[in-house]
Amino acid sequence: MSVWNPDNIRDVAESVGIASLGDEVLSALSSDVEFRLSQVLEEAFKFMRHSKRTTLSTQDITHALRMLDVEPLYGYESTRPLRFGEASIGPGQPLFYVEDEEVDFEKLINAPLPKVPREISFTAHWLAVEGVQPSIPQNPTSADSRNQELLPKGPGANSTLAAISGNDAVTVKPLVKHILSKELQLYFEKICSALLDETNDEYSVAALASLRSDPGLHQLVPYFVQFIAEKVTHNLKSLFVLKQMMQLTSAMLDNESLYVDPYVAAIVPPVLTCLVSPRLGSSSNRLEHYPLRSLAASLLGLIATKYAKSSHTLKPRLARTCLKHFLDPNKSFAVHYGAILGLQAVGGREAVRVLIVPNLKEYGKLLQEAIDGNTPAKPDAEMAIGAVLGVLEKLEEPGGTRLTNGYSINDRENTKLVEKVGELLGSRIVAMGRPHMVQAVLED
């Protein structure tokens, strides 16, 4: 039994030209209309509850119809509750209508007139004159600009939008400009100009001494780091500039009042460039860049020793980089020279024993080819041999004696030494007359 009156269905059917409908059809249509109306009302009640209201509005019905993919009704949008009046057009045939709001003409006539709106007008003003912003009411003041800069920016700046997007847990620090005082700016310019002046050594020495001892330079550390990286990148052919940048790095590391730990990752690349770069300086003198590589190796060892506690992966990464260049036969002997010194500086005696000594036999063959062939790389090969012998000396226990007339070993020890490091390096080691070094090399 349907609650909806079947007579309403019959009236609608007659209005559209359907003269007669069976009772079963009317019952089925009444049940369907009842179901559809209850469905619309349920959806409308959902909109009402989510809107925190207790009165159902025509807007809720419209949203419900759209949700059910039904064309919404038109003509009942209102910002005030609708009042329906009832009129009778016959027995048992009530008619409902929307009551119009009554307006009192006396109140309407005596009400004060609204203000006349201002006419639309345009004014022009200067945003800036020759780059300077005029202080006029139309332009924002410096305080407004400063407050705008300090506002948080990013995906979590607006808390409401961040919560909707799921980024409410992101904390964004306000953007604060790093402002240097005029004194520090002048100091930075003077230091940079002094280091790049080739004609005045005393000026450069005084600048480095100031960097090693002055305590109030922490704000300049990122600027010096950027200056070093830029000069090393663009001046690989100038040994003077590269040497000065390494001296600047050394001065910063020696200053105990500077906190350089956050900038170690930015300091290491320029040092590695001066250590294992294939080409440094001009091509006129092939051996003039080796002191720079030695200086870079000592700096790399200082960085690895001083900042290993703050970065546990620093030493392994530096040793891996140097070992990669040392084991690459396609690299020049100058690169091998820097890599050998870098390995010893980073890892000490243990790195020499574990990483260098086991590879000396194959490396000796590469050196032998360059020396026997009398190639242009022969001077570089001799420098690489000197680097190998220099790091092998670090294996010798402190207090070892040196035999000035050479060191005589028996055939068995000579054979073992040649098998260990090759004939070329073995003969050079014996000629040095360092018995303790020979024993340290032969140790497994």
Side-chain angles (χ1 to χ4, degrees):
M1 183 65 182
S2 175
V3 178
W4 190 261
N5 191 355
D7 293 338
N8 294 332
I9 305 295
R10 183 180 289 107
D11 293 340
V12 173
E14 292 177 354
S15 66
V16 295
I18 302 175
S20 63
L21 285 178
D23 294 338
E24 294 181 357
V25 175
L26 290 175
S27 177
L29 288 176
S30 298
S31 299
D32 186 67
V33 169
E34 180 182 350
F35 170 74
R36 299 298 177 185
L37 287 176
S38 63
Q39 190 178 16
V40 171
L41 289 175
E42 287 179 1
E43 296 294 333
F45 280 126
K46 291 180 182 179
F47 284 102
M48 181 190 72
R49 287 192 293 267
H50 284 294
S51 300
K52 308 298 182 183
R53 289 184 282 103
T54 57
T55 303
L56 191 67
S57 66
T58 56
Q59 192 72 22
D60 299 329
I61 301 295
T62 302
H63 290 323
L65 291 174
R66 288 175 179 171
M67 178 70 68
L68 297 174
D69 199 17
V70 179
E71 184 178 1
L73 300 176
Y74 299 97
Y76 287 97
E77 294 288 341
S78 176
T79 57
R80 60 182 178 85
L82 298 179
R83 293 184 300 174
F84 293 90
E86 182 180 354
S88 179
I89 60 175
Q93 295 183 358
L95 177 65
F96 296 93
Y97 62 93
V98 179
E99 293 183 354
D100 294 330
E101 183 180 3
E102 295 181 359
V103 179
D104 189 349
F105 283 100
E106 185 178 356
K107 292 183 179 180
L108 182 63
I109 294 173
N110 296 329
L113 295 176
K115 293 183 179 180
V116 179
R118 299 178 60 182
E119 295 183 1
I120 299 176
S121 61
F122 299 93
T123 58
H125 66 90
W126 290 101
L127 291 175
V129 179
E130 296 184 357
V132 179
Q133 179 178 282
S135 298
I136 56 178
Q138 289 83 355
N139 287 335
T141 62
S142 58
D144 296 336
S145 302
R146 179 63 177 168
N147 294 334
Q148 187 67 24
E149 291 176 358
L150 294 178
L151 289 177
K153 299 176 178 61
N158 190 315
S159 58
T160 304
L161 296 179
I164 295 175
S165 60
N167 296 327
D168 53 337
V170 179
T171 57
V172 181
K173 295 182 178 179
L175 181 62
V176 179
K177 288 186 177 180
H178 191 191
I179 301 176
L180 289 177
S181 63
K182 293 184 178 180
E183 292 79 7
L184 284 178
Q185 294 180 23
L186 182 61
Y187 180 87
F188 177 76
E189 295 175 358
K190 292 295 183 181
I191 292 293
C192 295
S193 61
L195 293 176
L196 299 178
D197 188 2
E198 298 187 41
T199 60
N200 195 341
D201 293 338
E202 295 182 358
Y203 197 18
S204 175
V205 172
L208 294 174
S210 175
L211 280 172
R212 286 189 174 92
S213 57
D214 286 356
L217 306 178
H218 181 67
Q219 283 186 303
L220 292 176
V221 172
Y223 296 94
F224 280 126
V225 171
Q226 184 179 4
F227 177 71
I228 292 170
E230 180 182 351
K231 291 302 177 182
V232 170
T233 303
H234 297 92
N235 295 275
L236 292 178
K237 293 184 178 181
S238 176
L239 288 178
F240 172 78
V241 175
L242 297 178
K243 180 183 175 183
Q244 293 297 94
M245 293 304 102
M246 292 301 100
Q247 294 284 1
L248 174 57
T249 305
S250 176
M252 290 174 56
L253 297 177
D254 291 341
N255 194 331
E256 297 296 335
S257 63
L258 296 182
Y259 184 61
V260 191
D261 295 56
Y263 309 100
V264 172
I267 293 176
V268 169
V271 178
L272 283 175
T273 300
C274 294
L275 181 68
V276 294
S277 180
R279 293 183 181 179
L280 294 175
S282 59
S283 58
S284 58
N285 189 346
R286 297 181 60 91
L287 304 180
E288 62 181 355
H289 55 85
Y290 284 99
L292 174 64
R293 296 182 189 271
S294 301
L295 175 59
S298 64
L299 281 177
L300 198 67
L302 177 61
I303 293 173
T305 303
K306 191 172 183 179
Y307 303 102
K309 293 183 179 179
S310 60
S311 177
H312 299 290
T313 61
L314 179 61
K315 275 190 175 183
R317 287 190 286 113
L318 294 179
R320 193 182 303 114
T321 302
C322 294
L323 181 63
K324 178 182 177 181
H325 286 82
F326 172 57
L327 297 180
D328 190 351
N330 297 322
K331 300 290 185 181
S332 63
F333 290 112
V335 175
H336 295 161
Y337 175 91
I340 293 170
L341 294 185
L343 276 174
Q344 189 276 325
V346 172
R349 297 173 57 191
E350 192 65 23
V352 176
R353 181 180 293 107
V354 176
L355 301 178
I356 295 180
V357 173
N359 298 295
L360 286 182
K361 187 174 182 179
E362 293 298 326
Y363 188 62
K365 297 178 182 179
L366 190 65
L367 293 171
Q368 190 71 54
E369 293 177 0
I371 292 178
D372 293 343
N374 198 18
T375 60
K378 183 176 180 179
D380 296 317
E382 291 290 345
M383 294 298 299
I385 293 174
V388 171
L389 298 179
V391 299
L392 290 180
E393 289 184 5
K394 306 297 182 180
L395 295 176
E396 187 178 1
E397 294 291 340
T401 58
R402 178 187 181 96
L403 302 179
T404 56
N405 294 329
Y407 173 58
S408 177
I409 61 174
N410 54 42
D411 294 339
R412 180 173 174 273
E413 291 177 333
N414 189 20
T415 303
K416 289 180 63 177
L417 188 61
V418 171
E419 291 178 355
K420 186 91 174 193
V421 300
E423 184 177 355
L424 175 62
L425 293 176
S427 61
R428 296 291 183 95
I429 293 173
V430 171
M432 293 178 66
R434 306 293 289 266
H436 295 283
M437 186 177 74
V438 174
Q439 295 173 5
V441 172
L442 292 177
E443 288 179 357
D444 292 333

